[in-house]
Amino acid sequence: MANRMWGGVFGVAPDEILEEINASIGFDRKLYAEDIAGSKAHAAMLAKQGIISAQDARKIARGLDTILSEIKRSKFKFSRALEDIHTHVEARLKDLIGPAAGRLHTARSRNDQVATDFKLYVRNAIDATDAALAELQKALAKKAARYAATVMPGFTHLQTAQPVTFGHHLLAYVEMISRDRGRFADARKRLNESPLGAAALAGTSFPIDRYRTAKALGFDRPAANSLDAVSDRDFVLETLSAASITAVHLSRLSEEIVVWASPSFGLVKLSDRFTTGSSIMPQKRNPDAAELVRAKTGRVIGALVQFFVVMKGLPLAYSKDMQEDKESTFDALATLSLVLAAMTSMVRDLSPDVARMKAAASEGYSTATDLADHLVQKLGIPFRESHEISGKIVAKASKAGIPLEKMPLKEMQAVDPRIPKSVLSVLSVDRSVESRKSYGGTAPKNVRREAEKWLKRLGK
Ligand code: ARG
């Protein structure tokens, strides 16, 4: 019988379609390094506890090293009949070292084994993601420092609202990504308890040392409840949630790049390295990478939704349903890694059209709030009243087709005779952003300081 793992009570080989639906080797082979690391830690612990001989443990360790190098060099034969990575490694170990291989699975089950392997895999992915997020923050903060005083239109409802600086806008994403990193760090902290030694679900009668294997594998401690240890997939859901929120952030930035780069806005330019052409329209410069970062968000959120649905009805402890945690998670994590790399390169590549930004910032009466604020300060009137007066002035300017800063003083005074001459100095977009010095505000001075703070924190 092909399956040497659980063949004992079975008289007939599994149906081919069972074998097909059951096998996970097509995707869980990705876990080979984690599986071997887990087995080495387990075997060393078994020997230390006198559960297997030191000689067998040495043979097992050497055999596992051989398997690791065989898989790395693509010299390893995978077959669907052997179901999953755990069975493959153990079967090959038997070929290599004989009966001692059969002692490795003492006080262990594939249930705690797979939970351990997958936690190790996800933990590595979290660490790689964090490094990639820090790179993106650095790219954004560098650009923010450079364009700390570059005025652009700030939008609400995608309608021109108030002038902001391009640097300020980019730093908003640095903050968002900082929270993303916090979520991944939290997920990592909670993930970092070892399932190994929980065995099938109830623990084991062997005198194992779960603290030792936990430590050897970089876990903070063993998971306290054996049932929970084998049936917990919170770490997958939590990591995919963090990944989804990150993907949404990247998607929003992508959308902005797509909008900004559209000739109708013309606020930024991507170089030839980050645009594609059209096969029919010679003038086109399409921001494909930004569009794809936006689109791939669907895959990441899809993985989260898929696995929520898998988990929602499962009784404790392990059910084979949980094997469906892997493919979509692998895909989501690889996708996130790709879109992060693409976004970081795009941010580095991006250049603002400074003149166009400033012109656009001046359109749409973006300094109307500055006008209203000034009247409050100078005339001591309530903001609601100054809002009303400013609205009338905007309507008048709009009717005349001129920007606010070109409005003659007497035209404004015709709306309200109390309007002081000093108003003329507050209507430019530069003056507007400069005045927003409140904590977290868009003033170039603030932006420069914040960008420097981030660059220092991120190690430039
Ligand atoms: N391939 C399985 C998985 O990924 C490993 C655990 C199988 N355990 C079992 N009792 N069938 O979940």
Side-chain angles (χ1 to χ4, degrees):
M1 175 164 299
N3 197 315
R4 288 175 256 191
M5 192 70 83
W6 40 263
V9 299
F10 292 85
V12 185
D15 193 278
E16 211 178 308
I17 197 68
L18 168 62
E19 200 172 277
E20 186 176 343
I21 194 171
N22 206 29
S24 53
I25 190 60
F27 46 89
D28 69 13
R29 56 201 280 180
K30 260 198 166 68
L31 298 175
Y32 73 92
E34 289 80 5
D35 193 69
I36 288 169
S39 288
K40 284 181 78 172
H42 185 67
M45 180 278 291
L46 291 176
K48 183 86 190 165
Q49 297 298 101
I51 300 167
I52 65 172
S53 72
Q55 197 195 357
D56 282 348
R58 263 196 306 277
K59 272 196 207 161
I60 290 171
R62 238 179 286 133
L64 289 170
D65 285 339
T66 304
I67 296 170
L68 183 65
S69 107
E70 285 177 351
I71 299 179
K72 275 190 179 150
R73 291 181 291 120
S74 306
K75 290 274 166 349
F76 190 92
K77 204 175 148 291
F78 292 99
S79 109
R80 199 176 76 187
L82 279 176
E83 199 177 326
D84 59 26
I85 186 64
H86 325 294
T87 322
H88 273 78
V89 171
E90 197 179 326
R92 178 66 183 142
L93 190 63
K94 189 164 178 221
D95 294 343
L96 289 171
I97 69 167
R103 299 194 185 277
L104 172 60
H105 214 54
T106 314
R108 184 179 80 170
S109 148
R110 278 187 297 162
N111 298 348
D112 57 337
Q113 194 178 352
V114 73
T116 305
D117 292 2
F118 204 33
K119 275 193 167 185
L120 292 175
Y121 184 93
V122 170
R123 194 176 71 189
N124 283 337
I126 287 176
D127 292 344
T129 303
D130 184 67
L133 286 167
E135 274 307 300
L136 175 55
Q137 281 184 305
K138 222 186 282 186
L140 287 162
K142 271 191 187 157
K143 201 127 276 192
R146 181 158 170 200
Y147 296 105
T150 302
V151 179
M152 70 178 281
F155 302 98
T156 60
H157 313 262
L158 202 55
Q159 304 287 315
T160 305
Q162 293 173 346
V164 295
T165 69
F166 187 46
H168 195 54
H169 199 117
L170 296 175
L171 287 181
Y173 283 95
V174 174
E175 295 292 334
M176 291 151 81
I177 294 164
S178 168
R179 292 193 298 275
D180 292 335
R181 292 179 68 190
R183 271 180 284 271
F184 278 110
D186 280 348
R188 191 192 198 283
K189 222 180 293 161
R190 271 184 291 278
L191 163 155
N192 213 27
E193 294 186 344
S194 172
L196 195 58
L201 76 166
T204 175
S205 58
F206 290 98
I208 58 171
D209 181 354
R210 291 188 58 210
Y211 283 90
R212 173 173 287 271
T213 47
K215 188 163 176 227
L217 295 170
F219 288 108
D220 296 328
R221 65 192 77 84
N225 181 299
S226 61
L227 283 165
D228 177 46
V230 295
S231 64
D232 162 36
R233 292 293 182 278
D234 294 6
F235 68 98
V236 180
L237 292 171
E238 205 174 346
T239 302
L240 291 175
S241 303
S244 295
I245 297 174
T246 303
V248 166
H249 288 162
L250 298 180
S251 186
R252 293 181 74 179
L253 180 51
S254 298
E255 168 66 7
E256 301 209 288
I257 292 173
V258 170
V259 169
W260 293 341
S262 159
S264 304
F265 275 73
L267 300 182
V268 302
K269 210 171 162 189
L270 286 163
S271 78
D272 291 354
R273 293 176 59 230
F274 273 91
T275 36
T276 61
S278 156
S279 56
I280 172 169
M281 299 165 285
Q283 86 285 8
K284 287 299 283 291
R285 296 178 60 82
N286 298 328
D288 289 31
E291 294 166 80
L292 287 164
V293 170
R294 186 174 62 186
K296 282 179 192 291
T297 305
R299 293 168 74 143
V300 181
I301 297 172
L304 174 64
V305 174
Q306 176 261 356
F307 196 51
F308 262 130
V309 176
V310 169
M311 287 305 290
K312 71 169 268 295
L314 296 189
L316 303 189
Y318 180 84
S319 296
K320 195 63 176 251
D321 308 54
M322 288 154 77
Q323 179 167 286
E324 290 291 315
D325 58 359
K326 292 179 199 64
E327 278 172 293
S328 51
T329 302
F330 287 147
D331 182 71
L333 294 172
T335 298
L336 191 62
S337 157
L338 175 65
V339 295
L340 273 169
M343 182 52 85
T344 304
S345 299
M346 236 182 323
V347 167
R348 288 189 186 123
D349 185 79
L350 201 67
S351 53
D353 183 333
V354 173
R356 172 75 200 127
M357 274 189 172
K358 186 160 179 180
S362 313
E363 288 162 12
Y365 302 95
S366 65
T367 56
T369 318
D370 298 81
L371 169 59
D373 286 351
H374 190 71
L375 299 184
V376 169
Q377 278 156 12
K378 290 288 158 179
L379 305 180
I381 58 177
F383 182 76
R384 279 290 152 246
E385 193 184 337
S386 71
H387 183 284
E388 172 83 22
I389 298 166
S390 305
K392 283 185 182 148
I393 294 173
V394 167
K396 205 168 171 188
S398 169
K399 207 162 162 207
I402 54 172
L404 261 191
E405 56 178 319
K406 296 272 157 61
M407 269 292 269
L409 181 63
K410 59 177 191 328
E411 291 290 324
M412 292 195 255
Q413 285 169 337
V415 174
D416 191 303
R418 293 172 296 173
I419 292 180
K421 186 165 181 241
S422 57
V423 81
L424 297 175
S425 71
V426 303
L427 298 177
S428 81
V429 293
D430 284 313
R431 172 61 206 258
S432 171
V433 295
E434 253 160 51
S435 72
R436 286 180 160 65
K437 291 200 219 49
S438 58
Y439 181 78
T442 197
K445 217 171 126 209
N446 283 5
V447 175
R448 231 171 266 121
R449 191 181 53 230
E450 283 296 303
E452 283 310 319
K453 181 196 84 184
W454 274 112
L455 287 171
K456 208 165 146 201
R457 198 185 285 179
L458 294 162
K460 300 257 171 176

